[in-house]
Amino acid sequence: MAAPLVHAQLAWMAHPQELAEALGRMSSSLWALQWHSMRRLVGLPSADPVRPVDDDSRFVDPVWAESPTWDLVKEWYLLMTRHFQDMLYETPGLSQKDRRRAAFWWRNALNAMAPSNFLLTNPVAMRKAIETNGESLVQGFRNFLDDLSAGNIRMTDPGDFKVGENLATTPGKVVFRNRLLEVIHYTPTKAKVHETPIVIVTPWINKFYILDLNPKKSMIRYLVDQGFDVFITSWKNPGEDMRDVRFDDYLVEGIQPLIDTARGLTGAAKVHAVGYCIGGTALSTYMAWANRHFKPEDMPVAHWTLFTTLVDFHKPGDIEVFVDEGSIRFLTQNMARKGYLDGAEMASAFRLLRSNSLIWHYVVHGWLYGETPPPFDVLYWNMDTTRMPYAMHAWYLRELYLHNKLIEKDALVVAGEPIDLGAITQPVYAVSAEDDHIAPWRQTFRTMNYVSGPKRYVLSSSGHILGIVNPPVKPPKRSYRVGPARRTDKAEDWHAAHEAQPGSWWEDWMAWLKPQSGELVAARPVANDAFPALADAPGVYVKEP
């Protein structure tokens, strides 16, 4: 945290001319703010010289604009924040990556110091305290104690949800289990299903039921209702005993058994494979591995789909601030002591990427306003964290995020095979999200530049979760762009060539997938003698702490 800020400070001291110019610009802004302050104090109208960005909800209450006093508090804070941020982004003599890292940590410090975060500088909190005769403060203190007891700033009440009761309720059976995963096969809802089953590789950073939150949002239920046999990974939440599990193991003991189970139970020769986030990165690696490992006629995946997946980690989004030699060395040493990376640590890092909306919003509304967080299934899922095995995650961070070797032909050897994304010839349907800060869409588009075979790319509105958990509704809530992609295409050129259209990309996905998924056949049993039911969905692993 300290190093980027110290480097930025030293860089400015070494460039006095640039520093003088930056201070001159700040002086001009301060004079404009002084003039605005004088006009407001004598009751004259004056447009705010600095306005909050559109998604900044800290100052939306009218009191921040109507009251001259609170307007000035807001304006002084925004002006100083804006200038400090701009200076860090323009630091002379530093690389763009170091500038972003310095700006990130300073932005988080400034977010923590916002006047809206403190009772005596938050007029809304004081008004609520007066209106409720102090009850909002009493309830806020209770919320603070509950968060302190939980060891987390809760975004929703964990008591509102229970996996298997009001989350992950699509019927099915666990039909395979090993030390890494359970494979769930969902009960068909149609008398006839497509011959080719769908297998879904979920990320092991979180639990699989993001795709089965409730019947209205569930992609799994939607696929079953569309006449598909659906199998999904439910990964084991690792402890210290799994410290030596490698990335290779997730392929040969995870993805391969998933595919073998689907083929064995249905009798299908090939499957359609889906990968989400890090599950998509693993699936991409598997596809390259399988195209080397199997003869062409024995390749078990006919075609595949990616959701918000990175294979090129050159610009991995805001998470880049944590990716350098020192940070990864610190994380690796920490994991080596415990045998795993704790899910709470990873969740905290991701919340820092959007600290205003994912941390301070809940501090203000819970502790200062005394509000109980409303039930929200996505936020509950986000709090239901998992751990990462030491060996696997250390390799993943170093070889992919730090050294970006997945895009280099044969630079990685996984499970005995050199990895070449260009060897993947199966058709791919790739989905990204416009507002994704975890897997930026321009970077996910680069997957199209590395894999061979026919490619269809989709850019959905919204972010990393809601861009994917995006069922068809009327009237449509979101929009998407879609069209073929070539290995020579650039992201901006593709974007300009395809207009946004209202609706859910799920329907376009079905129109692409169904013609490639074989004839309709009689629905297979959810379990059989070769693959007996080991437990009801959602299984055992997903409920383990």
Side-chain angles (χ1 to χ4, degrees), residues 149-221:
S149 176
N152 193 11
I153 299 170
R154 298 168 304 156
M155 297 183 285
T156 192
D157 187 347
D160 291 332
F161 298 99
K162 189 168 183 180
V163 176
E165 293 186 7
N166 56 358
L167 294 172
T169 59
T170 302
K173 301 290 184 183
V174 174
V175 294
F176 177 86
R177 180 186 293 135
N178 65 16
R179 63 170 183 152
L180 283 188
L181 87 163
E182 291 180 330
V183 174
I184 301 171
H185 179 209
Y186 289 95
T187 305
T189 59
K190 302 293 185 182
K192 290 185 176 295
V193 298
H194 287 275
E195 183 179 7
T196 303
I198 294 176
V199 301
I200 303 176
V201 182
T202 54
W204 46 83
I205 288 178
N206 290 99
K207 297 185 179 180
F208 80 90
Y209 62 86
I210 187 60
L211 298 179
D212 190 29
L213 290 170
N214 62 52
K216 291 184 178 180
K217 295 180 181 177
S218 174
M219 176 183 286
I220 292 168
R221 189 176 292 262

Side-chain angles (χ1 to χ4, degrees), residues 437-459:
H437 64 282
I438 296 173
W441 78 265
R442 290 173 179 82
Q443 201 64 20
T444 65
F445 186 85
R446 289 184 60 79
T447 306
M448 305 296 96
N449 303 138
Y450 294 109
V451 302
S452 304
K455 294 171 283 289
R456 188 168 180 81
Y457 189 80
V458 177
L459 181 60

Side-chain angles (χ1 to χ4, degrees), residues 110-408:
L110 292 172
N111 288 344
M113 293 186 288
S116 55
N117 294 342
F118 304 95
L119 176 62
L120 297 182
T121 53
N122 187 325
V124 181
M126 291 191 286
R127 184 181 68 214
K128 287 180 179 290
I130 294 170
E131 292 172 349
T132 63
N133 295 319
E135 182 59 32
S136 64
L137 298 181
V138 173
Q139 183 58 47
F141 187 65
R142 292 194 189 105
N143 291 341
F144 164 74
L145 292 178
D146 288 342
D147 286 350
L148 189 64
S149 176
N152 193 11
I153 299 170
R154 298 168 304 156
M155 297 183 285
T156 192
D157 187 347
D160 291 332
F161 298 99
K162 189 168 183 180
V163 176
E165 293 186 7
N166 56 358
L167 294 172
T169 59
T170 302
K173 301 290 184 183
V174 174
V175 294
F176 177 86
R177 180 186 293 135
N178 65 16
R179 63 170 183 152
L180 283 188
L181 87 163
E182 291 180 330
V183 174
I184 301 171
H185 179 209
Y186 289 95
T187 305
T189 59
K190 302 293 185 182
K192 290 185 176 295
V193 298
H194 287 275
E195 183 179 7
T196 303
I198 294 176
V199 301
I200 303 176
V201 182
T202 54
W204 46 83
I205 288 178
N206 290 99
K207 297 185 179 180
F208 80 90
Y209 62 86
I210 187 60
L211 298 179
D212 190 29
L213 290 170
N214 62 52
K216 291 184 178 180
K217 295 180 181 177
S218 174
M219 176 183 286
I220 292 168
R221 189 176 292 262
Y222 176 82
L223 291 173
V224 171
D225 289 343
Q226 291 291 311
F228 282 99
D229 252 324
V230 179
F231 297 77
I232 199 168
T233 58
S234 177
W235 299 102
K236 175 79 172 177
N237 197 0
E240 185 179 0
D241 60 318
M242 294 177 61
R243 63 179 298 121
D244 295 324
V245 171
R246 302 169 303 154
F247 188 83
D248 301 43
D249 299 323
Y250 274 83
L251 265 63
V252 297
E253 296 183 44
I255 298 177
Q256 190 63 59
L258 168 71
I259 293 171
D260 291 342
T261 299
R263 295 172 66 204
L265 198 150
T266 64
K270 297 179 184 291
V271 303
H272 176 76
V274 179
Y276 190 176
C277 188
I278 186 176
T281 305
L283 177 60
S284 301
T285 309
Y286 172 84
M287 292 294 292
W289 176 87
N291 273 285
R292 284 276 178 86
H293 190 73
F294 296 104
K295 296 178 180 179
E297 62 271 18
D298 296 331
M299 173 65 181
V301 179
H303 26 74
W304 56 310
T305 292
L306 294 175
F307 299 155
T308 60
T309 293
L310 290 172
V311 299
D312 185 344
F313 292 81
H314 174 58
K315 293 182 179 179
D318 292 348
I319 198 71
E320 184 181 18
V321 298
F322 301 115
V323 180
D324 60 46
E325 189 66 48
S327 298
I328 289 179
R329 183 170 58 250
F330 171 80
L331 278 173
T332 301
Q333 291 170 350
N334 186 36
M335 287 190 292
R337 286 192 297 270
K338 295 186 295 186
Y340 57 83
L341 176 64
D342 194 292
E345 296 176 20
M346 182 171 292
S348 297
F350 279 110
R351 290 180 76 172
L352 279 174
L353 299 178
R354 293 292 184 271
S355 60
N356 276 337
S357 58
L358 296 179
I359 298 176
W360 300 114
H361 171 86
Y362 296 97
V363 168
V364 170
H365 284 261
W367 300 359
L368 301 187
Y369 299 172
E371 298 174 356
T372 301
F376 193 3
D377 47 14
V378 173
L379 293 181
Y380 175 84
W381 167 84
N382 194 59
M383 293 166 57
D384 192 6
T385 58
T386 59
R387 296 175 289 273
M388 304 291 111
Y390 158 64
M392 182 280 295
H393 203 59
W395 182 92
Y396 184 84
L397 289 174
R398 187 166 296 280
E399 300 299 333
L400 302 191
Y401 270 100
L402 188 60
H403 298 312
N404 197 20
K405 287 186 177 179
L406 185 55
I407 61 172
E408 298 179 28

